[in-house]
Every structure is written in C-alpha cells, then in structure tokens.
Amino acid sequence: MKAVAIDLDGTALTNDGKFSKRLEQAIHNMHEKGILIFIATGRSMKSLSSKLPKDLPVDGYVAASGVVVVAQGQVLRSSTFKKETIEEVISIAREQNVYYEVNTTNDGPFTFLQDKEYALEDLLHPPEEDVLAYETIGASRSITDSNQWVDTIDLTDVIKLYFFSNYKDKIKKFYNTLDQNSDNNTKYALYQTAVHNSEIMVPGVDKGTGLTVLAQHFNINLSDIHVFGDSMNDIPMFKVAGKSVAMKHAIEELKDLRDLSDDKTEFTNEEEGLAQYFEAHYL
C-alpha cells in the first residue's frame, strides 16, 4: 500500500484523547519507508492539531469528516453549511435542551451565550457510566472556556456541529429528531461516534470523498490506500479504500469482514492496537 489513512478518536487516540509514543514512532518509521500518512477524522483542523504530536509526519488531512481536505499546507477543498440549516438545527437543540458546539472553517468550538444556562445543567451533571473519557474532558473544557461562549457566530462559515449530553436517552431522542428532519441526508450528514454524542457535517462530503481528493492530489489510486477506523463516520472511507481495518472495539458494521472490513486489529485503542498492527504489517 502507498498510503494509510488513520481515524483519530477511538483509533489512533486513547479514550482520554492521548496519542502514544509507540504509535508516533511507528508512523515515523513507516513514513521513512515512503508510505504516505493521512489523518481522516471528524475533528476540525483546529481541534485535531491539538491532538497530534508536534513533529508527526502527516502528508494530508481529511478533517470534519471530509468537509475540509488539506495537503502539504494547501486547502484542497472546504465546504460549508447553508445558514438556514444551522439556524434550524440550533433551534431544535434549544427545544430539547441539547448542548451543541459550532465549528467554523478556521475556528471553534463556539456556543451561543444565551444557551449556557441549560447547557451547564447537563454538562455539570454526573456522567452516566458509559460516557467516554474524552467526552468528559471536553465537557470540563467547555465549562471553563470563556472564549467558547459568544454572542455572535458567523453561521455562513460553519463546517460542523457537535452535540453531547451526559444523558444518552436525551441524545438518542435528539438524534432521532435530526434523522427524521434530514430530508434523506440532503440537509446534513448525521453521525454518532458514541452513545452520548452526535454530529452533523456538510452533506455530500465525507471521509470517502475526502480521500478521493487526496488520492488525486498525490496521483495514487484509492486502491493504494489502507484505512483504519472504529465508528460510523469511517464507513464511507471503508467503502472506497483498497484495504480497510476495523479496530477490535469498532461498531459491528465496520467489523463485518464480509462487507466493509478486510481485517481487524487484535487489540483496542487502549491497548496500542494501531501501533501493534503497524509494527506487525509494515515494519
């Protein structure tokens, strides 16, 4: 394979959002052998940069699940929502008292200050047992980050909305409402990466279309890309790549070897699963 495309949360990162030294070294060694390194994540460019080691050799990024594609410092594609779609979704979040984060092309997360009171009631509530560590860390950050709570947001420049609740039943109800309101994913692409969160991305773009842009830029075939992931927003890139590997703990749809995955890791993201796979198959 000429390139690997790596999801972050639940794949390269531990549940508390850490990138291990062992994985970092494996990627350095692979890059030295001529393998292109792509990061394909639901995170925005600003958010993902805070999670990667400073000198990690990355040739291309598929950020916000394909909304933004970057290679060698050049933005190859950037897509934004219609303003009225964002206004509609935020209105639904307010009706159901669901905490949300707005990410724009180059900044975020932002939340309207007028929604802080109801949001804090949820964020400060003791989390249910299945809330993931990185979700709790994110909630704690939001509670104390004065820069996040704002009076105005440029709703013409939005690339992603993220929703979270310490109550999974609340998120499930909200997700179902958005699903029913999506007009068959023509308003937005709806994803869920864990039972306590949901997110929407710009429709018509995903990790699969993002990888297509990177493949064209680097003059390689999609069949030359080896992808790794664990959740719902990884499905599009699993469908287009030459080879796909699901993490041991991935959702069942990804792990189905008869359909999307060619293989699965022997270990989870908490057990250096990705690093061990790279060492066994590439080094």
Side-chain angles (χ1 to χ4, degrees), residues 187-207:
K187 289 184 180 180
Y188 42 76
L190 177 62
Y191 298 105
Q192 191 167 37
T193 59
V195 295
H196 283 271
N197 72 57
S198 296
E199 54 192 18
I200 62 168
M201 307 293 183
V202 178
V205 294
D206 52 42
K207 290 187 180 184

Side-chain angles (χ1 to χ4, degrees), residues 4-110:
V4 295
I6 308 164
D7 170 54
L8 287 182
D9 293 287
T11 301
L13 301 179
T14 58
N15 288 340
D16 58 353
K18 298 296 194 304
F19 199 105
S20 77
K21 289 291 185 180
R22 183 174 179 179
L23 178 57
E24 180 182 358
Q25 187 59 57
I27 289 174
H28 273 282
N29 293 342
M30 291 165 64
H31 199 255
E32 289 175 359
K33 296 177 66 173
I35 298 169
L36 295 170
I37 307 297
F38 300 150
I39 299 295
T41 177
R43 290 178 177 266
S44 66
M45 286 298 296
K46 180 180 178 181
S47 175
L48 73 85
S49 65
S50 68
K51 293 298 182 181
L52 298 179
K54 183 178 179 180
D55 298 321
L56 192 74
V58 179
D59 300 287
Y61 298 90
V62 176
S65 291
V67 173
V68 178
V69 183
V70 176
Q72 300 165 317
Q74 175 186 355
V75 177
L76 305 182
R77 182 178 73 189
S78 180
S79 308
T80 57
F81 279 103
K82 294 180 180 179
K83 180 182 177 182
E84 54 266 31
T85 298
I86 299 304
E87 291 173 335
E88 179 182 18
V89 171
I90 290 177
S91 177
I92 296 171
R94 286 171 174 162
E95 290 173 2
Q96 299 190 16
N97 287 346
V98 172
Y99 167 74
Y100 64 88
E101 296 176 359
V102 179
N103 287 276
T104 59
T105 302
N106 295 306
D107 212 349
F110 297 119

